[in-house]
Each structure stands twice: as C-alpha cells, then as structure tokens.
Amino acid sequence: MKNGQLYLIKVGEIALKGLNRDFFEKRLKGNIKAKLRPYQSYINTQKGRLFLEVEEACPPAVVEKALSTSFGVVGFSKCLKVEKTDEAIREAARLLMQEEPFNSGEGTFKADSRRADKSFHLTSYQLDCLLAEEVHRIHPALTVDVHHPQMTIFCEIRDKAYLYSSPKSGLGGLPVSTAGRGMLLLSGGIDSPVAGYQMAQRGLRMECIYFHAYPYTSDEALEKVITLASLIAPYLQGTRLHVVPFTEAQLHIKAQARPEETTLMFRAAMMQVSNMLAEKSEALALVTGEALSQVASQTVEGLAFSDSFSDLLVLRPLVGLDKGQIIETARRIGTYETSILPYEDCCTIFSPKHPVTRPHKAETREHYEALEMHPFLVEAVANTKTYDFTPLGVLLET
Amino acid sequence: MSGYFDNAATTVPSQAALQTYREVALSFPANPSSSHSEGRKAARLLQDLRQQTAALLKVDAASITFTAGATEANGIILSSLLWKQRADHVLFSGIEHSSILQWNRLLTQAGWDVSTIDAPGALIEASGVEGALNERTRLAAIMLVNNTMGTIQPIKEIVQAVRRFERRSETQPIHIHCDATQALGKIDFDLQALGVDSASFSAHKFHGPRGVGILYNTRANIEALSRGGGQERGLRGGTENLPAIAAMVTALTEAMEGLETHRAHVSSLNDLLRERLKELPILTPREQASPYILTISMPPLPSQVAERMLSDAGFCVSSGSACSHNARQKSAAAHNAMRLEPRLAESSIRISLCPDTTIESAEALAEAILAIYRNHR
C-alpha cells in the first residue's frame, strides 16, 4: 500500500496463547479490518506485534476508534517505518518531535530501543543515545528521566526501523467472536450495556434483545435502547437488536397471574422468548445485567427461578458487583448518560406493590405453566423487529 | 385538528391573525428604528398597536412592552431583582409556571431568599401569601390562572393582603407580578382593578403567533434582559417583531370581542366532559376555575401512558405541563405544592379547550378516555 498510514498494535493475552494463537490473531485482524471498511487495510504480524497499514484516505479518528474499541488490543500507536540507516532514523525521530506528546517541548522523556535484528550496527544503548541527541536538538528543554518519563520515543529494529511515541491504551481482553455467540438482554438501564461489554471482553459475540411494551413503554424508551445498542456495538464488533413486542404477553400476565408474582412471570416469559430467539441465531448463552439482590426479582431464589426457564447457559457478569462499580464502567464506555434518560422501561401498572422475593421454584413454575404463555410468546417472536449495527456502531437502514 | 385538546400548551393561530401577519410583513418591511419614511411608517404602526393593546387591556400604553412571550416577560421582571443593591426576599407560589420557578436557582445563588408557598387544591390563599411576607420582601409572583389545573387565583384578595402588610410593617412597596398567560382572552379581568404591578402574556395562547407576547409593567427600576438598540424604551433590545405583534393584536381583538360567546361555548363543553367523565377523579374544581382547562386523573395509568394511548386514538392531551416535559420532577414539585394525592397526580391528564372545539370532538374524547380508563381500572 503506497502512502498508507502505519500503526503498531500491541496485543496482550493473545500472545500468551499456545497452539490457538493463530486463531485469536486471525480473528483480531479480521475484527480490525471490518471496522475500517470500506477503507482498505492490511495487517502483518511480527513477534507479538501487529502492524496495520491503512489507506491514506481513512481519517485517523476512524482508525483510533477502531483500535480503541477492539478487544485484544492492548495498545497502539501511529508508527513510522524507515530504512535501517542512522540518517533515516534521525529523520523519523525529528518527525515524531512535531507530534503529540513531544510537540509541547516540555517535560521529561526517555528513548527506548529494541533490536529484533541483532545485526544492526548500533547496540540498543547506542541507539537510545542517538535518539536522545535528536530529541534534544529539536526540543532542548526536554530532560531525560529513564524511570518515570512523561513521554517515550520507541525504536524497533526489525526488517526496517519502526519509530513511534507513547502508545495509546487499548482495552485488552480477547477478540470478539473467539468465544462463541450469546444473546444480551438489553433493558435501557445502566447494567445491561455493561454486562454486554464485560462478556465481549472475553470474546463473546452477542446479539441484543429488548422487550417493548408499547404504549405502556414509550417510543422514546425504544429509541434509547437503539442508542445504547449503537454505543456498545463497537465493543461487540457490531450487533443486532431484536425488539420483541411484549404488550400482549404482559397484559395477559397482568390479567391472569397473582399480582405479587407478575414480575417473576415476566422474567420467565422473557427467558423463554430469549431462548427461542437464541435458537434462531444459533447462540449458546444468554447474558443479563442482573446483580445479586439489586431489585426484588434478583434474589438467589428469583434468579434460580428464571434460570429454570432457560435451556441455555445464563451468564451474569455483574452478579457480584456493586452498583458503584457498574456505574464506573458505564461512564467509561459512554453508556451512562443515555441509560439515565428518564424513560421508564417498565410501566408502573405492571409493577406489583409487594412482589414475591423468594419464590418457591416448583410452585411458582406451576403458576407460570397455568398461564399458558406459549401462543403469546410465539406471536411475539414472529413479530420481532430486528435492527443491525455495523462494527463501528452505525445503525443500518432496514 | 378535531382531536386537539392541548390549547393550554399552544393554540392554532386564527386565520385573521395570519392574514394580518402576512399583510404587515409585506407592507411594513422596514425597521421601526430606521429614520427613513418606511421606517417611520413602521414606527407609527408599532405605536398604534401599543395603543390598541393598551385599550384592550384597559391600561396606559406606556405600561406595555412587547416581548417574545410570557417566559421572556417573566424573565425581565425577575432578572431585574439581580440589579438591586441588596439581595432580599422574594415569594413565589409553588404552582407558578417553570419560567418563574426556574429563577429560584439563580436568585438563590445571587444571595436572595426565595420562599415558595403551597397552594392546596391549586388555589393560593391570600392568608398564606400574607404569612410568608417579611420586611425584606421585594417581590411576590402569583399567577392568575394555573396552567396545569385551570384554577383562578384570588389575585385581588392577595393584592389587598400584600398592601395591608406593607402598611402595617411600613416596608417599601412590594412588587406584585402576575403571570396571566392562561387568562388573557379567556376570562374577564381588569389589571388595574386587580392592582398588580406587572403581568405577562403570550400570544400563542389566544390564537396569535408564537414568539410574541406582552409585558405589562407599572414599576420603575425594571432592567432589560436582552440589550441592544434600546427598543421598547430600553426594556427589550432587539428589532421589534412587527408582523407578529400586529397578528397578536388581531388575535387579541378577536378573543376579547368574542370573550363571552367563547366562554359560554367552552363552559358547555367543560360541563359535558365533567358529566361524561364523572366516574373518573376530576382534579379541576368546578368553582374558581377557567372553563378552558379540565384536569382529570386516570389511575392507575401513568399520565404519559394515558397521553400516549389517547394520542394513538387521535387525541392530543397533556400529561403535566408541556413546558416541563422531560422534567418530571418539576411537575411533581407543582403537584406537591397543590398537595395532590400522588396516586392522582401521577395519573393526571390535562384537557384544554378552545372556541373551535366542537361538541362532537369533546364527546369522542370522552368516549376514548372512558374506554381506556375502564380497560385498566
């Protein structure tokens, strides 16, 4: 690729993988390339590093978004690739001095060289000195601090010389789609987007499910969930959102169920619908944002009850977390502000005043069976509407 | 728009008002501040319009300032407090529109003591106002017709109570500001007889255009909110919105001329709705309320759900004040001040009428409300 932009990517956990490493690396490369499309890109691997070349036309912000939202990337930096000559290396160092963070011309720095090609005529130490000399020539006010530098200029001697400065951090974790497929129950609250993020971090690919009870919940609430799906989509490497029309099922439950058990009945019905959708999508697990004892239905008994309606594994990555920790992640991944918009995701007429918190599983299951929900659920699945989001989170027109 | 029952939020502009707008926009294109002949022509029209407005309100033309609406008029009065040398005390009724209540924060920040008083049943009591005054009180803001419930406040008694307090404690005169937005062109009142010092109005509530309104003010030491060319005797900088002001005067003339006829029609609609909806909790009292606003409650349905269902059935009503949509706490604060039962407040729906509302559409609305209510009871 002529005149392409070059990025150096550090991978973390993947590098520790044994015989599977190829599989993880291949997936990561595929994920990054998918985010950069339609721009052309090419990625090659060199000893624990990926070198990404992207066509010049691609805005750097797009590359940064792609790399900073892809699990498996530990750090990345725009990188210069030059001939292995002293003069070319000096020239590249001078170019780096014009860019952040060196362009401020103030503070402390360090040069950090590494030779994969041991035949290079300078030792790492000599190369460090050469770089420091060049740094000083441009920015005389910068001082060396090898222990706690504010900025670092790196040089790696491989097939060519690669120079870059302080890398940006990536998310770590494992590339999405290396751990199978799941369905995320997305509610519009603070927790479920975080749950999706956490499972994506371990490589799970996910589609999302939202239960919409219009007119008891508003179209604004649906819009909010669509926004949340688009916000987490880059972490999920793209996703689909299944919007299940749930009004009829809820009304039936409200009319027929014991009032104090309505929430449990909703949960059971949602589990069954999610299993039906998962089967269609060939997913092997459900993911929820439930945390133990957070609300009346999230007791051990309540969770065990709803679990009993799922043939699939139910993953609850937040189960042992404190609300404060969940909020912290929600803020970091940018979903918090949307999650707290004041659109209720469940109408108060469906919320019992005194819900059962410790259901007896067998007995409550019998009550659920008596509701004969099946036809309502089949209908709901049949009328489910699906929205698709690209790996960078753009909602595709349907 | 036969299903439109949200006239307290905004009304449909009248044909005559729109025609005036068009004519004035085309025939008086110049800036009233310009000295050329076209400018002077526009300035003369502006002066005429001010005279006409004053005549319709039975006040002196010098007390009329044209603004961008009641929100701005309220802002001019309340922001003037910030220019006083000393931060003292102001009194708001707890059921004021958010364009008054929102000043609480800024005034408090500037060191003012702000009290809000409750209005049980959405009616402000004169004794309550009197009891909340103190020697440092500089201003009291009391609305004429409450926007969420339609209740008419006993302004005259309140003014008397305030004046009584002034005499008794020999304080400086207390400025009484009255937001009369929901009253003008709908109920009969006389600003001078009421004895308020200032009042605010919006044209779009009486079939005039949006973005234009009136500040009535008789007090000195009022400062402009927007500054600039010294228009409106320095009280409201910015080129006068001549076509909109003219259209407003046309709409106001129509409203005032038809006041009794319109009120009779709207009252009969109000009676009809009360009769048809008698199985629901009706929150607006029959006495001491504008016939234009009827607030009911549809428990257990949350207001917004009921509003949505009615909207899908072709009826526009309001859950709380449209001005504080997305800010449920604010209408909750007003509901608290009214000491409304939360169960009823959370399910309240405001129906607001206009002279063009037909009996058939009111009947159809009642049917739709009953169907939804019975289905969820």
Side-chain angles (χ1 to χ4, degrees):
Chain A
M1 199 176 298
K2 260 188 186 167
N3 296 325
Q5 314 169 56
L6 185 66
Y7 286 81
L8 172 141
I9 299 169
K10 295 183 176 177
V11 292
E13 210 172 322
I14 301 178
L16 303 175
K17 296 282 172 194
L19 295 173
N20 286 335
R21 193 164 119 186
D22 249 16
F23 164 71
F24 287 95
E25 244 172 39
K26 236 185 194 158
R27 181 50 71 187
L28 177 59
K29 288 182 189 174
N31 287 353
I32 293 170
K33 288 170 74 137
K35 279 183 179 164
L36 293 173
R37 268 193 280 277
Y39 299 106
Q40 273 189 27
S41 60
Y42 173 76
I43 303 177
N44 77 65
T45 319
Q46 288 192 33
K47 280 193 185 170
R49 298 265 188 272
L50 301 183
F51 287 94
L52 162 70
E53 256 185 279
V54 200
E55 66 174 296
E56 194 65 32
C58 180
V62 172
V63 185
E64 286 201 9
K65 169 117 191 198
L67 295 176
S68 63
T69 57
S70 291
F71 287 111
V73 173
V74 166
F76 61 91
S77 182
K78 200 161 182 195
C79 176
L80 296 169
K81 175 174 157 186
V82 296
E83 292 302 325
K84 289 187 276 188
T85 67
D86 293 5
E87 195 33 52
I89 290 169
R90 283 178 192 276
E91 171 67 29
R94 284 197 290 274
L95 281 173
L96 287 179
M97 291 306 104
Q98 313 304 326
E99 297 188 11
E100 279 187 4
F102 279 92
N103 59 357
S104 74
E106 285 173 0
T108 57
F109 82 101
K110 166 187 177 179
D112 186 341
S113 307
R114 205 170 288 193
R115 295 183 312 160
D117 170 13
K118 301 288 184 197
S119 70
F120 188 64
H121 77 105
L122 296 175
T123 64
S124 295
Y125 178 73
Q126 288 169 326
L127 194 48
D128 286 346
C129 294
L130 178 143
L131 290 169
E133 200 179 291
E134 214 49 47
V135 171
H136 260 142
R137 203 193 304 264
I138 310 280
H139 296 307
L142 287 175
T143 55
V144 174
D145 179 345
V146 291
H147 300 295
H148 305 288
Q150 289 166 325
M151 48 198 126
T152 304
I153 177 167
F154 294 91
C155 179
E156 295 184 13
I157 305 292
R158 298 168 179 271
D159 57 326
K160 303 274 178 182
Y162 295 85
L163 284 92
Y164 56 98
S165 57
S166 309
K168 295 196 164 72
S169 345
L171 297 170
L174 296 170
V176 167
S177 292
T178 55
R181 189 183 284 260
M183 304 298 273
L184 169 67
L185 278 67
L186 196 61
S187 71
I190 296 168
D191 305 337
S192 48
V194 175
Y197 173 86
Q198 298 289 15
M199 293 318 302
Q201 185 169 39
R202 300 310 299 164
L204 191 68
R205 173 158 191 80
M206 278 166 283
E207 297 182 7
C208 309
I209 303 175
Y210 171 64
F211 293 91
H212 191 36
Y214 187 88
Y216 298 93
T217 51
S218 63
D219 280 335
E220 286 94 330
L222 171 60
E223 285 300 320
K224 173 178 160 181
V225 171
I226 291 173
T227 305
L228 285 173
S230 84
L231 288 173
I232 59 170
Y235 303 112
L236 270 52
Q237 190 63 37
T239 189
R240 316 186 83 180
L241 170 66
H242 303 279
V243 177
V244 183
F246 212 46
T247 313
E248 293 306 316
Q250 286 204 354
L251 286 172
H252 177 71
I253 290 172
K254 182 176 157 53
Q256 304 291 328
R258 291 166 169 75
E260 66 279 10
E261 286 181 352
T262 40
T263 313
L264 290 166
M265 300 296 129
F266 289 160
R267 295 269 165 169
M270 287 175 181
M271 279 294 179
Q272 290 192 320
V273 168
S274 301
N275 271 264
M276 289 154 84
L277 289 170
E279 195 184 338
K280 278 188 168 180
S281 297
E282 296 177 352
L284 299 176
L286 302 184
V287 178
T288 80
E290 290 159 312
L292 189 62
S293 303
Q294 186 169 215
V295 294
S297 60
Q298 294 175 17
T299 57
V300 168
E301 293 87 346
L303 298 178
F305 169 77
S306 54
D307 260 16
S308 74
F309 289 91
S310 178
D311 296 331
L312 300 176
L313 173 68
V314 182
L315 295 168
R316 297 186 172 90
L318 312 184
V319 75
L321 292 186
D322 197 59
K323 194 75 186 183
Q325 294 171 291
I326 299 171
I327 288 174
E328 202 182 297
T329 308
R331 283 190 196 279
R332 185 159 48 80
I333 66 175
T335 53
Y336 182 74
E337 294 304 325
T338 304
S339 287
I340 60 169
L341 289 174
Y343 309 120
E344 295 84 354
D345 50 26
C346 181
C347 175
T348 51
I349 72 159
F350 295 120
S351 313
K353 274 211 179 69
H354 305 289
V356 175
T357 53
R358 306 180 66 184
H360 184 279
K361 200 199 280 182
E363 204 175 287
T364 320
R365 277 190 65 98
E366 271 175 35
H367 296 165
Y368 180 77
E369 300 306 338
L371 297 175
E372 296 181 344
M373 291 303 296
H374 192 68
F376 293 95
L377 307 188
V378 170
E379 180 80 9
V381 169
N383 291 315
T384 291
K385 195 177 166 200
T386 301
Y387 299 82
D388 286 302
F389 299 84
T390 67
L392 275 183
V394 178
L395 172 62
L396 293 174
E397 296 293 323
T398 42
Chain B
M1 291 225 298
S2 70
Y4 189 73
F5 289 88
D6 199 15
N7 292 284
T10 196
T11 55
V12 180
S14 84
Q15 287 302 323
L18 288 176
Q19 201 180 333
T20 302
Y21 188 101
R22 190 183 151 77
E23 280 167 14
V24 172
L26 294 172
S27 313
F28 295 83
N31 189 323
S33 300
S34 299
S35 340
H36 47 63
S37 61
E38 283 299 314
R40 291 203 305 276
K41 191 174 114 188
R44 275 196 300 278
L45 176 63
L46 182 64
Q47 198 184 344
D48 283 354
L49 292 167
R50 199 183 309 279
Q51 293 287 358
Q52 289 176 48
T53 306
L56 287 164
L57 295 176
K58 295 186 221 115
V59 297
D60 185 9
S63 62
I64 298 296
T65 301
F66 294 119
T67 68
T71 293
E72 189 186 54
N74 291 336
I76 292 173
I77 295 297
L78 294 175
S79 68
S80 297
L81 294 173
L82 299 171
W83 292 83
K84 304 253 184 244
Q85 281 186 340
R86 211 178 59 212
D88 282 322
H89 172 247
V90 290
L91 178 69
F92 296 156
S93 90
I95 57 169
E96 293 300 304
H97 186 262
S98 54
S99 60
I100 297 276
L101 291 179
Q102 285 286 297
W103 282 87
N104 191 333
R105 204 169 132 233
L106 185 57
L107 287 168
T108 306
Q109 211 169 41
W112 284 76
D113 218 350
V114 182
S115 328
T116 47
I117 52 163
D118 279 3
L123 284 167
I124 304 160
E125 291 159 344
S127 59
V129 173
E130 196 172 358
L133 298 172
N134 65 48
E135 277 154 24
R136 293 170 52 236
T137 309
R138 293 287 161 268
L139 181 141
I142 308 288
M143 68 197 333
L144 181 48
V145 172
N146 176 251
N147 55 312
T148 56
M149 290 292 162
T151 42
I152 303 174
Q153 309 308 320
I155 297 289
K156 203 165 178 177
E157 289 163 40
I158 291 170
V159 173
Q160 283 167 357
V162 174
R163 299 299 175 229
R164 209 161 43 229
F165 175 86
E166 282 170 1
R167 281 195 298 278
R168 203 170 55 232
S169 51
E170 295 175 359
T171 60
Q172 50 175 301
I174 295 170
H175 182 144
I176 304 174
H177 176 67
C178 179
D179 176 350
T181 309
Q182 295 293 350
L184 188 57
K186 293 175 183 173
I187 64 164
D188 192 21
F189 64 92
D190 181 326
L191 284 169
Q192 301 209 52
L194 289 177
V196 297
D197 297 301
S198 60
S200 50
F201 312 93
S202 271
H204 72 108
K205 307 288 190 185
F206 51 82
H207 303 277
R210 292 162 206 207
V212 63
I214 304 164
L215 168 66
Y216 159 75
N217 174 50
T218 59
R219 295 280 296 242
N221 301 325
I222 295 300
E223 294 281 344
L225 193 55
S226 57
R227 284 158 192 279
Q231 289 90 346
E232 299 292 303
R233 284 158 289 109
L235 261 191
R236 204 259 177 186
T239 302
E240 300 88 343
N241 191 352
L242 199 58
I245 293 168
M248 168 171 71
V249 174
T250 301
L252 185 57
T253 308
E254 283 184 315
M256 293 308 237
E257 283 172 2
L259 192 94
E260 276 315 314
T261 331
H262 295 159
R263 191 162 68 157
H265 173 63
V266 168
S267 292
S268 69
L269 295 175
N270 190 302
D271 290 344
L272 181 147
L273 286 166
R274 281 177 187 274
E275 173 59 27
R276 296 285 167 95
L277 299 175
K278 62 186 171 198
E279 65 189 83
L280 279 76
I282 292 184
L283 304 182
T284 303
R286 195 180 271 277
E287 304 301 322
Q288 246 190 297
S290 160
Y292 284 80
I293 293 177
L294 181 67
T295 297
I296 59 167
S297 183
M298 299 175 70
L301 279 181
S303 304
Q304 289 180 339
V305 174
E307 178 191 27
R308 215 174 289 139
M309 289 175 166
L310 285 167
S311 171
D312 288 350
F315 299 98
C316 303
V317 296
S318 165
S319 56
S321 159
C323 304
S324 54
H325 201 70
N326 291 340
R328 301 280 300 280
Q329 301 88 333
K330 271 180 246 157
S331 49
H335 287 147
N336 285 342
M338 293 171 192
R339 300 200 194 136
L340 263 182
E341 201 186 318
R343 183 182 70 96
L344 297 181
E346 282 156 18
S347 299
S348 66
I349 285 288
R350 179 184 72 184
I351 301 165
S352 49
L353 308 167
C354 83
D356 297 329
T357 312
T358 62
I359 294 176
E360 294 72 34
S361 65
E363 282 172 336
L365 171 69
E367 287 301 308
I369 290 175
L370 283 176
I372 293 168
Y373 181 66
R374 287 175 182 159
N375 208 8
H376 289 90
R377 200 164 29 171

